[in-house]
Amino acid sequence: MTCSVSKAKARLSELIRSAQQRHEVIITDHGRPVARLIAYELQQESLDERFLALRERGILVPASGSTKDPWPPATRVPGALERFLGERNEP
């Protein structure tokens, strides 16, 4: 089933019932498909599958290096503490 955005706003309850009955609803804007309304299905994905999905979406990025690599030494910046304390105490 295809429905325009304006009609979808007026018929949302009906479209949701249609999706619950396993009918796919495509919502269009000026004739262009912009959204798909489908029934929600609770999926039991494994942790590996969830990680892979997050990586594919670009949300999760694999770490580089090793967890055994030492932290780099701290870099001292002259006057940093005084500037921090000064900014903290400003009104």
Side-chain angles (χ1 to χ4, degrees), residues 9-62:
K9 286 193 267 186
R11 301 173 44 199
L12 184 58
S13 295
E14 177 187 337
L15 296 177
I16 289 174
R17 281 192 296 279
S18 181
Q20 287 173 327
Q21 296 171 359
R22 305 286 186 233
H23 298 285
E24 183 178 272
V25 179
I26 304 296
I27 300 178
T28 62
D29 187 20
H30 300 289
R32 255 181 329 114
V34 293
R36 180 173 56 148
L37 183 61
I38 58 172
Y40 180 80
E41 294 180 20
L42 184 60
Q43 298 176 350
Q44 296 295 329
E45 294 178 308
S46 71
L47 187 58
D48 288 336
E49 291 170 330
R50 290 168 45 199
F51 279 140
L52 182 60
L54 291 172
R55 284 181 63 187
E56 288 173 351
R57 291 173 51 199
I59 295 172
L60 190 67
V61 179

Side-chain angles (χ1 to χ4, degrees), residues 56-72:
E56 288 173 351
R57 291 173 51 199
I59 295 172
L60 190 67
V61 179
S64 60
S66 168
T67 56
K68 296 178 182 178
D69 291 342
W71 285 87

